C-alpha cells in the first residue's frame, strides 16, 4: 500500500515537475488569472473582427475592381482598333501616292518610260534571272558578335549589312536589271543599313535567310557574279566563316514594285543613253508576255 500511495502522491516525475515549476516561475504556460484569460479572449475577438471586416471590404470592392478592369480592357481594345484603322488609312494613302507617282513617270518618261519605270522600281517586273540565298552560319548566336576584322570579312558567322551591300552592288555590276531582297524592291535610292544586329533595307528590317532575286540573263548573270570580286568575297565568307549561300539561275523571277517612290527630274546625257534590254518585263496585271 505504501508503494501505491507513493505513486499516487508523486504522479509526475521529478524532472518534469522541476521543468514545469521553472516554466511557471518564468511566466510561461497558460494564463492563470481571470484578467489574463479575459485579455486573451479580447485579443482573439479583435483578430476575428479584423479578418471579418477585411473579408467584407474585399467582397464589397470586388465588383468595383472588376468593373474598372473591364473598362480598361475596353479602352485598350478601342485604342487598338483605332490604331489598326489608322494604319490601314496610311497604307491606302501610301498606295494612292505610289500610283500617282507611277502615272507621272509613265506620262513624262517619253520614249524612255519603260526604262524609267524599271530603274525607279515604279512597276512590278518579271523575267529570267538568278536567285541567291544567303544565311547565317549554323549555330550562330543571335545575340550578335564582335566588330569586323581589318580584312573586311565577318569575324562571326552572321551576315552583315556591308555583306548585303557588296552582294547587291556585285549583282548590279554583273548585269542585273532589277533586284529585290526578301521581297523588298531596291532602287537607285535604296539604302542597306544596320540597326544593332538587324539588317534594314529602306528602314525595313529583314530576317535571315536573305533571298536576293535579280532579273537579268540568268546563267550569264550567275556566272558573272560568281567570277566578280564581290562574288569571290561572298565565297570567302562561306569558306572562312561558314556563311551559307546558294545561287541558281531561274527561268522566271517576279519582283514587286517599290513600296514608295521619290520622283525627281533626270535628263539623258545624249543619244547613247541606256535602253531596256528586254529581259525585264513590266507586270501590268493583265497577264505576262
Amino acid at each position: 500500500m505504501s508503494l501505491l500511495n507513493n505513486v499516487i502522491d508523486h504522479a509526475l516525475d521529478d524532472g518534469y515537475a522541476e521543468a514545469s515549476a521553472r516554466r511557471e516561475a518564468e511566466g510561461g504556460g497558460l494564463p492563470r488569472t481571470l484578467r489574463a484569460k479575459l485579455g486573451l479572449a479580447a485579443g482573439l475577438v479583435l483578430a476575428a473582427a479584423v479578418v471579418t471586416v477585411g473579408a467584407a471590404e474585399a467582397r464589397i470592392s470586388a465588383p468595383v475592381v472588376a468593373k474598372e478592369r473591364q473598362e480598361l480592357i475596353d479602352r485598350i481594345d478601342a485604342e487598338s482598333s483605332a490604331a489598326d484603322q489608322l494604319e490601314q488609312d496610311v497604307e491606302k494613302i501610301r498606295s494612292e501616292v505610289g500610283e500617282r507617282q507611277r502615272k507621272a513617270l509613265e506620262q513624262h518618261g517619253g520614249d524612255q518610260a519603260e526604262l524609267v519605270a524599271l530603274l525607279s522600281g515604279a512597276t512590278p517586273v518579271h523575267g529570267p534571272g538568278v536567285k541567291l540565298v544567303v544565311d547565317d552560319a549554323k549555330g550562330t548566336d543571335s545575340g550578335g558578335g564582335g566588330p569586323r576584322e581589318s580584312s573586311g570579312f565577318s569575324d562571326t558567322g552572321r551576315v552583315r549589312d556591308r555583306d548585303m551591300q557588296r552582294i547587291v552592288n556585285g549583282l548590279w555590276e554583273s548585269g542585273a536589271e532589277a533586284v529585290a531582297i526578301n521581297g523588298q524592291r531596291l532602287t537607285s535610292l535604296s539604302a542597306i543599313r544596320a540597326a544593332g544586329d538587324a539588317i534594314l533595307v529602306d528602314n525595313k528590317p529583314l530576317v535571315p535567310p536573305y533571298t536576293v532575286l535579280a532579273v537579268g540573263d540568268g546563267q550569264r548573270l550567275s556566272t558573272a557574279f560568281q567570277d566578280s570580286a564581290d562574288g569571290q568575297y561572298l565565297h570567302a565568307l562561306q569558306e572562312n566563316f561558314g556563311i551559307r549561300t546558294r545561287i541558281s539561275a531561274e527561268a522566271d523571277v517576279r519582283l514587286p514594285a517599290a513600296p514608295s517612290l521619290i520622283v525627281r527630274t533626270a535628263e539623258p546625257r545624249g543619244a547613247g543613253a541606256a535602253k531596256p534590254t528586254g529581259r525585264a518585263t513590266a507586270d501590268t496585271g493583265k497577264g505576262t508576255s
Side-chain angles (χ1 to χ4, degrees):
M1 292 298 295
S2 60
L3 178 60
L4 292 177
N5 291 332
N6 185 46
V7 171
I8 293 173
D9 295 337
H10 301 84
L12 189 64
D13 184 78
D14 294 340
Y16 287 106
E18 182 181 353
S20 177
R22 184 171 59 253
R23 188 164 52 249
E24 290 180 1
E26 294 175 355
L30 296 175
R32 295 296 183 180
T33 65
L34 179 60
R35 181 179 299 176
K37 293 180 180 180
L38 292 176
L40 177 60
L44 294 176
V45 171
L46 180 60
V50 171
V51 172
T52 302
V53 171
E57 290 182 352
R59 188 181 301 108
I60 294 172
S61 62
V64 178
V65 173
K67 182 180 179 181
E68 293 177 350
R69 180 175 180 275
Q70 187 60 44
E71 290 177 353
L72 180 59
I73 293 175
D74 294 340
R75 287 179 57 188
I76 293 174
D77 292 340
E79 294 297 333
S80 299
S81 299
D84 293 340
Q85 184 61 45
L86 290 176
E87 186 175 352
Q88 293 176 5
D89 294 342
V90 169
E91 188 63 30
K92 181 179 178 181
I93 294 174
R94 183 182 290 117
S95 299
E96 293 177 356
V97 171
E99 184 62 28
R100 293 189 180 187
Q101 289 175 333
R102 293 182 183 93
K103 289 182 179 179
L105 288 172
E106 293 174 359
Q107 292 175 359
H108 302 286
D111 57 352
Q112 299 292 323
E114 184 180 353
L115 176 61
V116 172
L118 175 65
L119 296 179
S120 64
T123 58
V125 297
H126 74 95
V130 298
K131 178 181 180 181
L132 173 61
V133 180
V134 185
D135 197 0
D136 297 336
K138 291 183 178 180
T140 301
D141 183 9
S142 59
R148 290 292 191 180
E149 294 180 340
S150 59
S151 63
F153 296 134
S154 171
D155 60 347
T156 68
R158 294 181 58 82
V159 179
R160 303 295 186 178
D161 58 325
R162 66 189 65 185
D163 302 331
M164 298 307 301
Q165 291 172 2
R166 293 201 59 167
I167 290 170
V168 171
N169 289 334
L171 288 171
W172 287 122
E173 293 177 1
S174 300
E177 298 179 8
V179 180
I181 304 177
N182 284 15
Q184 183 74 16
R185 178 76 173 273
L186 302 181
T187 69
S188 58
L189 300 177
S190 295
I192 302 176
R193 294 289 183 265
D197 291 320
I199 296 178
L200 308 181
V201 174
D202 291 336
N203 294 323
K204 292 188 177 181
L206 306 179
V207 294
Y210 306 102
T211 301
V212 184
L213 298 178
V215 174
D217 188 344
Q219 191 59 51
R220 182 178 299 178
L221 176 59
S222 174
T223 302
F225 172 74
Q226 295 182 72
D227 292 341
S228 67
D230 297 313
Q232 294 299 316
Y233 171 86
L234 182 60
H235 181 70
L237 290 181
Q238 182 180 12
E239 291 293 326
N240 296 313
F241 305 104
I243 289 179
R244 293 169 286 175
T245 66
R246 183 175 69 256
I247 187 171
S248 61
E250 303 290 331
D252 186 65
V253 295
R254 294 181 178 274
L255 278 61
S260 61
L261 301 175
I262 299 177
V263 179
R264 295 181 178 178
T265 302
E267 296 180 357
R269 290 186 175 181
K275 295 182 179 181
T277 63
R279 284 188 290 268
T281 305
D283 285 336
T284 62
K286 301 179 181 180
T288 59
S289 58

